[in-house]
Amino acid sequence: MRVRGHRSFGDVISGLGAIAALLALVVGVPVVLLTVFGSPVPDHVPAASELTEKVGPSALIGVLVFFVWLAWLQLALCVLVELYAGIRGVGVPARVPLAGGTQSLVHRLVVAALLIFTATTAVMPAFSGRELHQRPAQTQAQEIRPVPVAAVEKISEPAAQPVQKAETTKIYRVQPPEGRHHESLWEIADKCLGEGRRYKEIYNLNKGHVQPDGSKLSIASLIRPGWILEMPSDAKHSQVIPAGELENYFRTGHAGHHAKPAPEKPAPPEQEAPTPPKHAAPPQHEAPAPPKHEAPSTAAPVPVPQGSGSKAPSGELNGGKETGGVSVPGQRQESSFELTWPEGLAGASLLAAGLLVALGRRRRAQLWHRTFGQMVVRPRGEAAQAERALRMGADGAAVELLDLGLRQLSRSMGEGRALPTVYGVHLGKESLDLWIAPADRNPPEPWQAYDDGQVWRLRGDALPGLRAAELGEVLAPYPGLVSIGTNENGRILVDLEAAHGLIALQGPEQTRREVLAALALELATNRWSDHMRITLVGFGAELGEGLGDIAPDRVRTVSSLDEALPELEARSEEVRQALAASGVDSVLTGRSRGVFGEAWMPHYLIMADQPTEREADRLVALARTGTRMAAGYLVPGEVQGATWTWDVDEGGRLHAGVLGFQVDAQLIPEEHYRGVFELFRTADRLESVPMAEQPAGATEPPRQSSVDIRLLGPIEVEAPGPMDESRRALCTEVLLYLATHPGGVHPTVLSGAIWPRGVAAGVRDACIARVSDWLGRDVRGRPNLYYDDRGRIRLGSEVKVDWAVFRWLVWRSAAEPASETAYMSYALDLVRGPALADRPRGRYGWLASEDLEYEATARVVDVAHRLVVLRLEEGDARGAIGAARAGLRLAPEDEGLWRDLLRATHAGGDEAQVKVVVDELRGRMGRDPYFDQLQPETEALVEELMPEWQRVSAR
């Protein structure tokens, strides 16, 4: 982004003040020193006797003046370095030795002064006080220029007096969450008032007002979907209403009976807020008869109202009378769902993805020890909530793009070109951007250069090609990249190694610890690093031991810095010797060319408590090398001599110093990582637990179905009604939740599962109405989705779910031993892939609290294994192979089924096919992050069947 061409009065005043300060420091100080004390150069060579004379006041003053001259020389050098970097745009300025605080002050003065003369000069992120504002890529010449601090538009001051109420006023309805995003007062102010800092005006207008759900706005950071906010008169994207109707909106969420407010801006498509209810009589529906498999009750079920698809009644009640919804027996109309939600984990998309991979490996070990007919232990309580947050937040595709993209870059530049210094990374929805120094306009394909080569971009559509490029043997070039937070365009990462010194984090102690805990968790589990060492100092037993259990090969915990320093110093010396012995010019070159591979594995130090002055001096001496040393050092507090100093405030806003990034920091509070550690402890339990028993005389699935729901593979729904594509994903999740709870679901429980951060009752009811329209009616005219007499939402008898059919077939196979193989074959024919495959990112987090995935895996694996055994006893090798393949479609990581497949293939007598299966297993091990090594039983079987086979080495 280019700085605007005009300057405000504040810019001019700031610039003139900066020029005056620079002149006073650079010119005024030496003039005063020369005038008062004379030249610092002595006029004669000191005699030896002068060194032994008694020191008097004049000699002491001379020494002090000498040190003032030294300080001035350092300041003058800082000015020259900052001027050169600002005028030439070379990127991150060179560091002046021992000038951390001085250079930071000079940096601000120089930036303010330069903008007086160069209002359209592009300033690199290192000089910027704001984050990168990314625009959609259109051509390769597109510019990406961060806005410098002094060029940020002047912020409007909050109004001193409340907005006067006129005949009309403006309101804004807080929108329901979309995926993991939910609105805040800052975002609403930014969208409607043009400046987020005006959120206080909105807060002052609305604090204390009772909202439609009965709660009040008391804390500016806590607002809920469905709330009505009065807006200042200059607000945009808001609804104009008569001033007299404002209290009705606060009380009920809509106007009175006779008001006709102006239309409100439509909400996001998937979770659009329902339109205000019409006051005509609601449509009447005949109460359906209960399905055959349910016991009829005295109260007839009440169907969900049939809306028009996109326009659904809100379901709000007014004085006990319907105003456009449906009265549900026994249902309490609630507008929100209270839930303790670990949002820190849900918001840390890369950290969550790394933790889930590590968790998947633990669960694979659990499967090794699972007893036939039982399932592994699943998490509950706090641990289940932690996994739910991780599932909703994890962005596996972004991790793959970052990991494979950087390895491909390293391999492409391994011969003849040096890898660039990457001091910042931006991960957006569609691309990966590297901020590099110095600029280079010629990146290797498929990377593209932007902003005169200062930014290298890799688009997300390059991921399939990267997956096929076999990059597993390429060393990770930038293992020190770690997330510091997010801005409005995506996630920001910085490279700890690029500091070439100590990084100090300032701010409130509790917030600092949450930032450092998030950094440690991500470093310990990320996929874009290979072997590394992380030393944690002063974090206490819980975080240290918990991280050590999750990543024992990476994490070491010590109680004091004195315990850590010997290893850090020895490691630094090893890297120096490797650089000298290998002949490469840098650690990056060594990683890119793959020489002395182990020498470039990094070691990072993260401290929880501020170091003492002695410890800080020793750390600064160790860390400030002036070159990349495969190391990074993060300490809290103010440290003299730190290369980078970051600041985080109580609100979680992190300012990354000279790098210029301002982000919402990635924070992991103690209670959140406590849930993560409990989750991993659960995954370490190797005992098995019984699965839910199929009830005797289970009801046969419907022979004729009007709706088919398939979840044993990619999610598929066949229903007769219409469905807007923009709402399909949300409605499908609601339907799948109902399908996996055949006993019915209370609307409040549904709200908590699908909208964990809360949702207005009207939004929920509108979504249920759309699902009802989608499912339509059965052959007798009854709705396929209805409320029963207890107020629970249920699916009708003609809705067929493949998982329910599978369980019934397995039950029948046990009840009729003579037809066991036939029923099992029919059951496995329903399996098309992993359960609920291809579900959208950020959805279906409720699966972490359900038995479905655990039970489905156990039942399918057991049925497949049993059928393999039966087919082999019958001499039907081909049938046994088909059974094993069917089980692997749902559980491709189950090595018991791989062994069944090997045995069945060997029984067929085709040795070439056995080799094909072994190669297939080897290929899966290379692609699947959960496959870190084969079980000993699998290796032994392969060696027995193919003696010439070489063991697959563990990654």
Side-chain angles (χ1 to χ4, degrees), residues 199-218:
Y199 77 93
K200 292 183 180 179
E201 296 180 50
I202 305 175
Y203 173 73
N204 290 332
L205 283 171
N206 295 277
K207 64 180 179 181
H209 282 296
V210 178
Q211 293 289 337
D213 63 357
S215 55
K216 298 180 181 180
L217 175 62
S218 57

Side-chain angles (χ1 to χ4, degrees), residues 193-346:
L193 304 178
E195 174 49 55
R197 299 188 191 186
R198 293 183 64 187
Y199 77 93
K200 292 183 180 179
E201 296 180 50
I202 305 175
Y203 173 73
N204 290 332
L205 283 171
N206 295 277
K207 64 180 179 181
H209 282 296
V210 178
Q211 293 289 337
D213 63 357
S215 55
K216 298 180 181 180
L217 175 62
S218 57
I219 302 176
S221 61
L222 297 179
I223 61 173
R224 298 181 180 179
W227 276 11
I228 302 299
L229 301 177
E230 184 180 5
M231 302 296 289
S233 60
D234 61 337
K236 300 178 182 178
H237 309 297
S238 54
Q239 179 180 350
V240 179
I241 64 169
E245 289 290 340
L246 182 60
E247 290 303 320
N248 286 330
Y249 273 92
F250 277 134
R251 186 176 66 256
T252 66
H254 55 82
H257 287 277
H258 306 292
K260 296 182 179 180
E264 188 176 358
K265 182 182 178 181
E270 285 195 359
Q271 297 176 340
E272 182 181 18
T275 56
K278 299 178 181 179
H279 299 288
Q284 301 297 319
H285 301 287
E286 180 183 356
K292 288 188 297 182
H293 62 278
E294 296 174 1
S297 60
T298 55
V302 181
V304 173
Q306 302 299 303
S308 59
S310 61
K311 302 291 184 182
S314 67
E316 294 174 297
L317 300 181
N318 184 11
K321 296 182 180 181
E322 296 185 15
T323 60
V326 58
S327 177
V328 181
Q331 177 182 346
R332 184 179 59 179
Q333 295 294 321
E334 298 183 5
S335 60
S336 65
F337 184 83
E338 296 294 337
L339 182 69
T340 302
W341 177 246
E343 294 193 41
L345 295 173

Side-chain angles (χ1 to χ4, degrees), residues 367-390:
L367 290 173
W368 291 3
H369 299 84
R370 184 182 68 88
T371 303
F372 185 89
Q374 297 189 324
M375 65 182 188
V376 301
V377 179
R378 75 166 178 86
R380 299 181 184 276
E382 191 176 50
Q385 287 287 6
E387 183 174 356
R388 185 177 182 185
L390 294 176

Side-chain angles (χ1 to χ4, degrees), residues 400-401 404-405 408 446 458-459 462-471:
E400 272 196 289
L401 185 66
L404 299 179
Q408 185 273 340
L458 180 66
R459 298 188 61 82
L463 187 54
L466 296 175
R467 288 170 177 159
E470 297 184 358
L471 298 165

Side-chain angles (χ1 to χ4, degrees), residues 504-670:
L505 177 64
Q506 299 181 0
E509 181 180 0
Q510 184 61 34
T511 311
R512 281 191 333 228
R513 294 181 74 93
E514 292 175 3
V515 171
L516 293 171
L519 293 171
L521 278 166
E522 185 172 298
L523 284 171
T525 57
N526 72 46
R527 287 181 56 189
W528 57 91
S529 303
D530 296 319
H531 304 291
M532 72 159 62
R533 186 75 161 167
I534 305 167
T535 297
L536 303 179
V537 180
F539 277 96
E542 186 164 32
L543 180 63
E545 293 179 4
L547 261 180
D549 290 340
I550 292 176
D553 56 332
R554 290 192 178 187
V555 176
R556 176 195 179 207
T557 303
V558 296
S559 58
S560 68
L561 185 60
D562 288 336
E563 295 180 59
L565 280 172
E567 183 180 359
L568 292 167
E569 291 167 341
R571 179 60 182 152
S572 180
E573 184 58 31
E574 288 176 5
V575 175
R576 293 181 190 277
Q577 293 177 6
L579 285 171
S582 64
V584 298
D585 58 349
S586 74
V587 168
L588 287 179
T589 304
R591 289 171 180 161
S592 179
R593 296 181 182 174
V595 296
F596 284 61
E598 289 294 327
W600 322 124
M601 298 301 106
H603 194 153
Y604 303 126
L605 171 73
I606 303 179
M607 292 187 63
D609 299 321
Q610 185 170 352
T612 64
E613 185 175 350
R614 181 187 66 83
E615 291 174 333
D617 290 343
R618 193 172 173 186
L619 265 181
V620 169
L622 172 64
R624 202 167 186 119
T625 59
T627 185
R628 184 183 292 263
M629 291 297 294
Y633 307 86
L634 268 164
V635 299
E638 183 177 357
V639 178
Q640 186 66 31
T643 306
W644 292 347
T645 298
W646 300 344
D647 292 279
V648 61
D649 59 29
E650 290 184 357
R653 190 72 174 168
L654 188 145
H655 306 259
V658 296
L659 293 178
F661 302 131
Q662 296 189 34
V663 297
D664 293 324
Q666 182 167 281
L667 307 172
I668 305 296
E670 181 179 347

Side-chain angles (χ1 to χ4, degrees), residues 651-697:
R653 190 72 174 168
L654 188 145
H655 306 259
V658 296
L659 293 178
F661 302 131
Q662 296 189 34
V663 297
D664 293 324
Q666 182 167 281
L667 307 172
I668 305 296
E670 181 179 347
E671 60 270 20
H672 292 183
Y673 62 71
R674 186 185 300 122
V676 171
F677 299 153
E678 180 60 30
L679 176 63
F680 275 82
R681 283 191 287 269
T682 302
D684 284 336
R685 294 172 57 187
L686 301 181
E687 70 270 21
S688 301
V689 297
M691 290 183 282
E693 293 185 4
Q694 191 82 343

Side-chain angles (χ1 to χ4, degrees), residues 747-760:
T748 303
V749 177
L750 180 68
S751 296
I754 309 299
W755 296 276
R757 291 187 178 90
V759 66

